Amino acid sequence: MQAALRSRRYGPYTLQAAIAAVHAEAPSAQATDWAEVAGLYEALFAIEPSPVVALNRAVALAMRDGPQAGLPLVDTLVASEPLAHYHLAHVARADLLRRAGKHDAARAAYGRALALTTQAPERRHLEKCLRRLVVANNI
């Protein structure tokens, strides 16, 4: 995979595999090389500019540079189709808002994600995130 990246002759699957490899090699989310992930998403977005790739790129930038770096990008994405009704975009937004200390807005974003989520395990997870936010911040 490294040889393919160095050759500059790669496609979206090579970049996706490289992103997965960076995540797999990290012992934790905090230890992930977010600069590398963000760079790989930049390259992926250049050849496959989909809304979901844009969302993942924004999250990687926020993980690298802090939530304030990714929030404007995510806000723009969730304000327009097709991500306006994509629950994971609202989950990402809620997490960035929570990390930025904007707890009321995070609660609303978690609520929007919950309204869009149909899978029971995802609903339970989001309900738990929302309860933690409320308890931790007395909202």
Side-chain angles (χ1 to χ4, degrees), residues 5 14-15 17-20 22 35-45 53:
L5 290 173
T14 306
L15 292 168
I19 292 165
V22 173
E36 173 119 12
V37 172
L40 289 166
Y41 271 116
E42 288 289 338
L44 181 59
F45 189 76
V53 171

Side-chain angles (χ1 to χ4, degrees), residues 23-104:
H23 285 297
E25 291 169 355
S28 68
Q30 294 78 16
T32 299
D33 185 346
W34 288 107
E36 173 119 12
V37 172
L40 289 166
Y41 271 116
E42 288 289 338
L44 181 59
F45 189 76
I47 62 174
E48 190 173 86
S50 76
V52 172
V53 171
L55 176 64
N56 291 337
R57 186 183 104 214
V59 170
L61 291 173
M63 293 301 289
R64 182 188 72 192
D65 301 330
Q68 297 297 350
L71 265 171
L73 301 170
V74 173
D75 285 345
T76 299
L77 291 166
V78 300
S80 61
E81 294 297 333
L83 297 186
H85 302 289
Y86 182 49
H87 73 283
L88 294 177
H90 293 277
V91 172
R93 183 170 183 268
D95 184 62
L96 294 180
L97 288 164
R98 179 191 59 77
R99 290 178 43 220
K102 299 178 179 185
H103 301 125
D104 289 335

Side-chain angles (χ1 to χ4, degrees), residues 34 69 72 132 135:
W34 288 107
R132 283 184 191 154
V135 169

